[in-house]
Amino acid sequence: MTLTAANPETDRLSPAAVLACLAVFALLAAVLLWMGRVPICACGSIKLWHGVVQSSENSQHFTDWYTPSHIIHGFLFCAGLTWLLPNASFATKLLIALGVEAGWEILENSPLIINRYRTETIALDYFGDSILNSLSDTAAMAAGFWLAYRLPVAATIALAVGFEVFTGYMIGDNLLLNVIMLVHPIDAIKAWQSGADLSGVPGLRLT
C-alpha cells in the first residue's frame, strides 16, 4: 500500500504545473539573493558532495550529510498532505510542499535561525546556506515527496529510519536531533555531539 492511490497516467505534471514548480524555485532564489545569501560557496568551488560537517563549506554545495533530512521532509509532507487533502492532485500537493519547503529555507537563512544553530547546536561554523544548497535541498524534498508517493508505506518508513540511523551514526546528527536541538536544546545531546565525556551528565546512562 502506498501513501496515495498513485496513477502514472493522471498524476503526471502538466506543463503549467512544471512551470509553477520552477517558479517556486526561481522565487526562492530571488528572495535568498535579496537576503544577501551567496549564490555558491564563498570558497569559489561547486561540489556535488561535501562531507565535512564541521567546516565553513557545509551546506554550501549540491549535497551533504543533511540532504537525507530534506528527503525525509518530502516523505512527511506527502503523508501530511495526503491526510489533509486526500482528493487533491499530485501537482497541487507537490506545489504546496515546495512552498512550505521554500518557506523553511528562507526562515533557516534568517539571522534568527542561523544564530540559533550557532548557539544551541554543534554547527559553530554555520553562517547560512548558499543559494545553490537551498535550491538543492528543496529539490531533495521534491524527490522525497515523489518517492513517498510511489513507494509502499513500509518502504518509505524503512528509508526514513535508515537515513536517520545512518546519518546519526556517521555525523552524530539527523533530522530528529536537529529539530530537538532547535526547539528544546538538551545539554546531554550537545555534549555527545561535540564528543565530550558524558559520564558525568545526570540521567544519562552510557553502555
Side-chain angles (χ1 to χ4, degrees), residues 89-196:
S89 67
F90 170 74
T92 298
K93 287 182 280 195
L94 176 59
L95 277 170
I96 293 172
L98 283 171
V100 174
E101 183 74 3
W104 164 247
E105 288 296 326
I106 291 169
L107 178 61
E108 184 182 31
N109 285 283
S110 67
L112 173 68
I113 299 300
I114 291 174
N115 291 333
R116 182 76 171 174
Y117 272 125
R118 288 175 53 77
T119 57
E120 301 297 346
T121 75
I122 58 172
L124 300 178
D125 290 324
Y126 182 70
F127 292 95
D129 301 348
S130 69
I131 295 175
L132 172 66
N133 183 259
S134 288
L135 294 176
S136 296
D137 286 346
T138 305
M141 183 286 301
F145 190 98
W146 183 85
L147 281 173
Y149 196 80
R150 298 296 181 189
L151 292 177
V153 173
T156 302
I157 293 173
L159 270 178
V161 172
F163 283 150
E164 287 288 88
V165 171
F166 182 65
T167 54
Y169 174 78
M170 293 300 294
I171 65 170
D173 202 8
N174 54 31
L175 179 59
L176 178 60
L177 291 173
N178 204 272
V179 171
I180 290 173
M181 295 305 288
L182 275 177
V183 176
H184 185 70
I186 298 175
D187 289 340
I189 293 178
K190 187 173 182 179
W192 169 68
Q193 290 179 322
S194 300

Side-chain angles (χ1 to χ4, degrees), residues 27-107:
L27 181 60
L28 172 59
V31 171
L32 292 173
L33 189 62
W34 174 78
M35 292 171 62
R37 304 311 312 161
V38 294
I40 64 171
C41 179
C43 63
S45 64
I46 297 176
K47 301 176 184 177
L48 289 177
W49 164 261
H50 180 75
V52 182
V53 176
Q54 293 296 338
S55 78
S56 59
E57 290 188 47
N58 191 50
S59 295
Q60 302 299 304
H61 300 282
F62 274 107
T63 59
D64 51 48
W65 283 111
Y66 292 98
T67 300
S69 292
H70 292 275
I71 295 175
I72 297 174
H73 286 183
F75 295 168
L76 296 174
F77 291 159
C78 185
L81 289 169
T82 297
W83 177 65
L84 290 172
L85 302 171
N87 298 319
S89 67
F90 170 74
T92 298
K93 287 182 280 195
L94 176 59
L95 277 170
I96 293 172
L98 283 171
V100 174
E101 183 74 3
W104 164 247
E105 288 296 326
I106 291 169
L107 178 61

